[in-house]
Amino acid sequence: FHMRGTLLKNPQKVDRFLCRTVRTVASAKSEVFHAGGHRSLSALQEERFQQAERSVLIGYHSRINEQTFLKNLSRHGDIKKYFFYESYGVYALVEFTNRESVASLLDEAVIPTCNHEATVPFKSRLLSVKNLDSADHLNLQLNQQFQPQTSMPINQLIKRLAKEKTMEQQLISLTEAYQLTEENSRLRFLVCSLIRDLASTYFPECTIKPFGSSVNGFGKLGCDLDMILDIDGTSISKVKPKSGLSMEFQLKRVSSERVVTQSMLSVIGESLDRFAPGCVGIQKILNARCPLLRFAHQPSGFQCDLTANNRVAVKSTELLYLYGELDPRVRFLVFTVRCWARVHNITSNIPGAWITNFSLTVMVLFFLQKRNPPIIPTLDHLKKLAGPADRSVVEGNDCTFVRDFSKVLLQKNSNTLEDLLREFFDFYATFPFSNMSINIRTGKEQHKPEVAPLHIQNPFESSLNISKNVNNSQLDRFIALCQETSWLLQQSETMIPRAGDQGDNPTPWGLASLLLPSQVVAVKSRKKRREPASERIKSLLESLKNTKSTKN
Ligand code: CTP
Ligand code: MG
């Protein structure tokens, strides 16, 4: 069969297959230890970039025989890894052992002919299978395994959690079900690499790197793909001339860095819109504090944000990754709190006055710094441990912190995940939000420097509040939900696994019951029938007292 450039028309959404990813997890209990044996984020990213450059994305319409497909492709060289998935069509991501194989495959690919339309002849590593030999049609393979690229629906997750025997297992199981898979991570880097190919027609030395939840260890399957266009290679001269005449480029001058970023993103947005197959709905949001392009990449199913000149965000991604790797409890708690917040509409996919996942993550980190003894160190402590190679100043902000995990000594804290989750909700149910600010640099709450319902200091730009968008009513909803959840976790009927209830529809308990929308109301009304009136009034007064103390 032949390959041809992909031009997606009338994409149809296809049902997605879901399969469980298996991952072994370290024990959640930590002791004083060197957190060695971890790979740095930059080493991990480098490997993913290399893989991406040796990879192609191939769409196909009719079912194909896996063996015939692979045999055809291996004419161009050894295949290292491949997998199939569905997203507005069926795709295969294929990684070759050598980059030359990709060149050889592209050499053979043809421009498709269309009867009533014209094609834009922009060639990329996004291909389609053109035709199959008739023999292949007789040899269809029906059981092709598709790798999931979106997270399981909430009701399915609740069922899965209800089957677990302990709360600790529930938190681990939730993380395993939601975290990015190896395949999804490869797909994210491949999309960056495809966009880079296009951007490099203007800026040959540019790179496009993912940041945010795609790489910080807290990403959920289906989360957006944040990318940064880095033009370091083009803007800074690295080689010093030895002697004689030195040359410099003649360049156009504009009024500020911001204008440069805006015009670069603008032309890339224009090219994505006009030339790049699969990129649709391009919005140029160039007047934002951090200008960006927002678009959908249909072959991967990713919602993409492309920014430039946003290197502080890259540093905060590295920091979050480090915290997540220091102690396994960090990731389990963050995934759980993010999921809990999403099902109760504390966070939203639409931008607005909601608390964001980034803010929630920083709130979890702060809470873990406030344990006794602390589970993770403060950012100031990580800065003290930094060596000369870790030094980093971005746009006047000191972003220095140690990146070598083995230098970070943790204190012994044997709190269980169950305790920590309960304490998290207690902590924020009674946190003095009205006058205090959250600061992971010092690990201490501070008096708010400015008026805002929720104040969380940006770890690297101390004058910025990362939750500036949050309004009073959203904060109140968060506090009320923390109080209710904390209350639920004290009720024995939500906390005891149902014995002999291991069928297909086990009754949700523990973490599963915290994810049910009407649970608070349901448990309270069941309780009301049993509790004497005096008890109910007492608990009502108690909760009013709590609400008052946190709001004033
Ligand atoms: N960021 C920041 N300050 C903000 C918002 C975001 O520094 N006020 C940075 C953080 O490094 C964050 C990244 O930009 O991780 C991406 O932002 P966003 O997509 O909002 O958050 P994610 O962490 O990617 O979470 P999500 O899964 O919701 O996309
Ligand atoms: Mg994101």
Side-chain angles (χ1 to χ4, degrees):
F1 52 79
H2 299 288
M3 296 294 167
R4 63 179 184 189
T6 303
L7 285 171
L8 279 173
K9 296 183 212 100
N10 306 326
Q12 279 187 325
K13 209 167 176 176
V14 197
D15 284 341
R16 290 173 172 114
F17 285 68
L18 291 157
C19 85
R20 193 181 157 138
T21 49
V22 185
R23 183 173 178 265
T24 46
V25 241
S27 156
K29 295 185 182 67
S30 69
E31 294 183 11
V32 177
F33 70 107
H34 285 282
H38 293 270
R39 296 189 60 198
S40 76
L41 182 58
S42 55
L44 240 143
Q45 284 191 302
E46 190 45 44
E47 187 186 332
R48 289 266 182 253
F49 280 125
Q50 302 287 339
Q51 287 172 345
E53 304 237 301
R54 293 190 300 258
S55 302
V56 292
L57 200 52
I58 304 171
Y60 53 93
H61 300 292
S62 47
R63 283 199 191 91
I64 51 171
N65 178 285
E66 201 169 313
Q67 293 317 316
T68 316
F69 178 69
L70 295 174
K71 210 172 113 201
N72 262 281
L73 289 177
S74 40
R75 285 190 294 111
H76 302 280
D78 287 344
I79 293 170
K80 200 163 179 194
K81 160 116 189 173
Y82 67 93
F83 65 89
F84 299 94
Y85 68 92
E86 294 190 290
S87 161
Y88 301 99
V90 200
Y91 285 88
L93 185 153
V94 180
E95 183 205 347
F96 286 99
T97 308
N98 296 306
R99 273 183 85 170
E100 294 74 51
S101 308
V102 174
S104 155
L105 176 67
L106 295 189
D107 252 4
E108 253 189 30
V110 296
I111 303 255
T113 47
C114 292
N115 284 342
H116 305 292
E117 290 167 299
T119 53
V120 181
F122 176 79
K123 294 179 179 177
S124 76
R125 283 177 288 143
L126 178 59
L127 303 157
S128 322
V129 174
K130 189 182 167 196
N131 55 22
L132 291 161
D133 295 339
S134 52
D136 289 326
H137 288 290
L138 303 174
N139 193 14
L140 295 177
Q141 190 156 329
L142 299 172
N143 297 328
Q144 214 155 46
Q145 169 114 45
F146 291 110
Q147 296 299 323
Q149 307 303 330
T150 52
S151 56
M152 61 173 64
I154 186 68
N155 49 355
Q156 211 171 321
L157 178 75
I158 290 174
K159 261 192 199 173
R160 172 174 164 151
L161 299 185
K163 289 181 188 159
E164 300 292 352
K165 299 207 169 54
T166 63
M167 273 272 277
E168 185 156 87
Q169 280 168 2
Q170 289 186 326
L171 271 85
I172 295 171
S173 178
L174 180 145
T175 309
E176 285 178 349
Y178 269 16
Q179 70 193 350
L180 300 186
T181 57
E182 149 86 20
E183 288 79 13
N184 192 265
S185 181
R186 281 171 176 264
L187 191 53
R188 285 172 190 269
F189 279 82
L190 178 53
V191 172
C192 289
S193 158
L194 292 174
I195 308 290
R196 194 206 92 91
D197 284 352
L198 180 125
S200 67
T201 54
Y202 289 104
F203 311 107
E205 289 159 69
C206 77
T207 56
I208 292 198
K209 288 185 194 148
F211 71 101
S213 60
S214 295
V215 281
N216 66 15
F218 301 115
K220 172 188 164 192
L221 274 179
C223 69
D224 67 356
L225 171 58
D226 302 295
M227 295 175 275
I228 179 167
L229 170 74
D230 199 338
I231 46 153
D232 247 10
T234 50
S235 62
I236 298 163
S237 130
K238 286 174 194 148
V239 196
K240 277 198 178 143
K242 285 181 190 121
S243 61
L245 285 179
S246 70
M247 295 290 170
E248 61 180 22
F249 292 104
Q250 290 197 15
L251 299 172
K252 231 183 173 71
R253 283 161 200 235
V254 290
S255 58
S256 67
E257 278 295 328
R258 183 176 166 81
V259 175
V260 179
T261 303
Q262 285 170 330
S263 52
M264 287 176 58
L265 286 178
S266 180
V267 293
I268 293 170
E270 206 60 40
S271 326
L272 284 173
D273 193 24
R274 289 169 193 258
F275 306 143
C279 293
V280 299
I282 289 106
Q283 294 174 56
K284 294 181 184 176
I285 310 171
L286 302 179
N287 288 322
R289 188 182 75 81
C290 192
L292 76 142
L293 295 176
R294 178 162 289 168
F295 58 94
H297 185 260
Q298 286 190 328
S300 61
F302 296 142
Q303 184 63 41
C304 303
D305 278 353
L306 175 65
T307 61
N309 220 349
N310 189 9
R311 275 180 297 136
V312 179
V314 174
K315 290 310 282 186
S316 61
T317 301
E318 280 178 26
L319 179 69
L320 261 50
Y321 175 79
L322 176 82
Y323 275 129
E325 291 291 298
L326 285 180
D327 187 297
R329 288 171 293 184
V330 179
R331 289 182 71 244
F332 298 139
L333 268 185
V334 170
F335 269 94
T336 302
V337 170
R338 280 184 170 206
C339 175
W340 164 86
R342 185 65 197 92
V343 297
H344 295 293
N345 295 318
I346 292 294
T347 51
S348 165
N349 296 333
I350 312 158
W354 292 274
I355 296 179
T356 63
N357 276 331
F358 181 54
S359 296
L360 268 181
T361 308
V362 176
M363 287 168 95
V364 175
L365 297 178
F366 181 73
F367 159 76
L368 292 172
Q369 290 175 336
K370 296 277 292 182
R371 296 307 84 209
N372 189 13
I375 290 181
I376 49 170
T378 64
L379 179 51
D380 273 341
H381 183 72
L382 295 177
K383 187 178 162 184
K384 268 196 209 128
L385 298 175
D390 296 319
R391 210 181 129 64
S392 160
V393 178
V394 180
E395 290 144 28
N397 300 295
D398 192 347
C399 300
T400 306
F401 63 91
V402 66
R403 286 170 303 170
D404 178 355
F405 299 104
S406 66
K407 288 192 185 153
V408 187
L409 279 178
L410 300 176
Q411 298 189 52
K412 186 181 168 71
N413 175 313
S414 50
N415 284 160
T416 64
L417 284 172
E418 183 177 334
D419 291 341
L420 289 172
L421 188 65
R422 183 182 300 114
E423 286 168 20
F424 172 85
F425 295 120
D426 292 347
F427 184 79
Y428 284 113
T430 55
F431 188 83
F433 286 107
S434 57
N435 55 345
M436 299 309 249
S437 157
I438 289 164
N439 184 349
I440 59 164
R441 181 164 278 287
T442 57
K444 289 194 181 79
E445 51 266 47
Q446 298 183 319
H447 285 286
K448 275 188 195 175
E450 62 190 51
V451 189
L454 177 59
H455 197 281
I456 305 174
Q457 190 179 304
N458 186 311
F460 296 119
E461 291 175 273
S462 57
S463 63
L464 297 181
N465 170 15
I466 64 167
S467 53
K468 197 176 157 196
N469 62 313
V470 177
N471 65 17
N472 264 315
S473 80
Q474 290 305 323
L475 178 64
D476 287 348
R477 285 186 56 235
F478 173 76
I479 298 168
L481 203 68
C482 284
Q483 289 167 351
E484 288 184 350
T485 308
S486 162
W487 181 87
L488 261 180
L489 284 169
Q490 289 161 29
Q491 309 309 304
S492 55
E493 54 197 285
T494 42
M495 295 313 296
I496 298 166
R498 309 295 150 96
D501 193 12
Q502 294 300 312
D504 243 11
N505 274 319
T507 314
W509 72 276
L511 176 57
S513 59
L514 303 186
L515 304 178
L516 294 171
S518 56
Q519 195 59 10
V520 174
V521 183
V523 174
K524 279 195 172 163
S525 62
R526 281 207 298 277
K527 285 231 141 202
K528 272 177 196 159
R529 267 179 260 126
R530 273 180 261 129
E531 264 177 7
S534 59
E535 276 300 309
R536 264 185 284 139
I537 292 164
K538 216 170 91 188
S539 92
L540 192 67
L541 283 174
E542 199 58 38
S543 76
L544 277 176
K545 214 168 73 192
N546 280 340
T547 320
K548 231 178 143 189
S549 67
T550 53
K551 283 187 189 163
N552 292 336

